[in-house]
Amino acid sequence: MSTLVQPATSQIGSVDAQRVEDALSLIAPKWTNWSAQTLAQQGGPMRVRDVAARLPFVSEQFVGKRLAQMHADGLVTRAGDRHGAPYQLSGFGNSLSSVHRALSDWSQAHLSLGKVAGAERVEDAVRRLHLRHSTAVIQVLAAGGPARFVHIAEQAGLESSFTRQRLIRLQLDGLVTRTGPRHGAPYVLTDAGRALGPVYAAVERWSNPVASPRPAAAPVAATRTHTGIPLGSDGIRTAAALRRSTAAPSSLFSHAPQPQPRVPAAVTARSAPSLGR
């Protein structure tokens, strides 16, 4: 699955790393993407209990909290404020389709997860990519090829201890490897890491459609009313909430209509708490 060959990966370096990570932070909380794809598959408003019925081993109370956060972030809307009012995707949430497709395609091509639902595959991919400054580390390796730890920290502008922590996590996630077993061997991107350009580009377009306009034929472009997610993790959720749209959702990349009876152990293990933001 991984090689030590490092061709040019200019598409990775061309994206705004902080903007990409800010956007990924909106969909990083567990079950956000599965909830979004469930709403998209339904194609109309759903009550919390109906969404929860399609998520394996997730309580209705937890799903309610997740949908409430998605509402605050502008990904879903509600038909009123009364208790039990149903949710549906906003225009902003509906436009996640391109991001989900890019994540799924990348995962299918480069990650060995076995037979899992499409939504699980997207959740796993976001978990590997969303941590703060991971994109910057990947960009350094994409631009310069094999690099030693000190060079990566310097080029990314990160503290040594934090850089080491990120590299360990990226290795565990299959995005980075080392050129040899000896101490101090340079780091290099794996095939999965080198193939992230289209994923980053899709995320950046979703977060900032003004700076990176979608093609005219894009199915949901006319419903997108937000003007781009501002940089900085503190302002991103507030800004997203201000961009709520009442646009009706259309079909989005959906998961299997019958969820797997259980979440694969490999995916559950990879959903453990992060090594740090």
Side-chain angles (χ1 to χ4, degrees):
M1 186 173 69
S2 301
T3 69
L4 300 184
V5 179
Q6 182 78 356
T9 50
S10 58
Q11 192 174 17
I12 292 176
S14 67
V15 301
D16 186 316
Q18 186 174 345
R19 182 174 292 281
V20 166
E21 290 170 1
D22 283 346
L24 287 172
S25 73
L26 284 178
I27 59 175
K30 185 67 174 174
W31 306 112
T32 296
N33 298 287
W34 197 306
S35 297
Q37 293 189 24
T38 296
L39 289 167
Q41 189 177 52
Q42 177 70 16
M46 295 182 70
R47 298 187 185 280
V48 172
R49 65 174 177 269
D50 297 321
V51 176
R54 301 193 190 181
L55 273 63
F57 298 113
V58 186
S59 70
E60 184 175 324
Q61 181 181 20
F62 184 89
V63 173
K65 291 180 178 179
R66 178 61 66 240
L67 287 169
Q69 183 61 63
M70 292 172 67
H71 182 262
D73 291 340
L75 297 172
V76 298
T77 61
R78 293 193 83 177
D81 296 327
R82 70 185 188 282
H83 178 72
Y87 290 90
Q88 68 180 38
L89 288 176
S90 65
F92 185 40
N94 196 41
S95 65
L96 268 172
S97 58
S98 60
V99 174
H100 285 167
R101 289 190 185 97
L103 288 166
S104 180
D105 289 347
W106 172 75
S107 177
Q108 288 278 5
H110 298 285
L111 304 180
S112 300
L113 301 183
K115 187 176 181 180
V116 298
E120 285 185 40
R121 191 173 284 280
V122 171
E123 294 271 2
D124 174 81
V126 173
R127 181 202 60 77
R128 295 170 190 260
L129 301 176
H130 81 279
L131 291 181
R132 185 62 65 193
H133 302 306
S134 292
T135 309
V137 171
I138 290 173
Q139 284 182 322
V140 170
L141 290 172
R148 298 185 183 278
F149 164 77
V150 175
H151 174 77
I152 296 171
E154 179 182 347
Q155 292 298 310
L158 302 174
E159 294 182 357
S160 295
S161 60
F162 188 90
T163 304
R164 191 179 303 278
Q165 189 180 63
R166 277 293 168 268
L167 286 167
I168 291 173
R169 174 61 183 268
L170 290 169
Q171 284 182 278
L172 291 173
D173 285 339
L175 305 179
V176 168
T177 188
R178 304 188 81 163
T179 57
R182 72 182 188 282
H183 178 71
Y187 291 88
V188 67
L189 292 179
T190 63
D191 285 346
R194 290 187 291 110
L196 281 170
V199 174
Y200 286 153
V203 174
E204 187 174 49
R205 284 194 300 271
W206 172 66
S207 71
N208 188 23
V210 173
S212 303
R214 298 168 65 86
V220 295
T223 67
R224 299 180 65 181
T225 58
H226 59 294
T227 58
I229 297 176
L231 299 182
S233 57
D234 293 337
I236 185 171
R237 296 190 183 279
T238 300
L242 295 176
R243 292 193 301 270
R244 296 173 190 167
S245 168
T246 58
S250 59
S251 295
L252 205 162
F253 177 75
S254 59
H255 57 77
Q258 295 298 324
Q260 302 291 329
R262 63 184 179 84
V263 177
V267 175
T268 303
R270 291 181 181 131
S271 299
S274 303
L275 296 176
R277 294 296 302 251

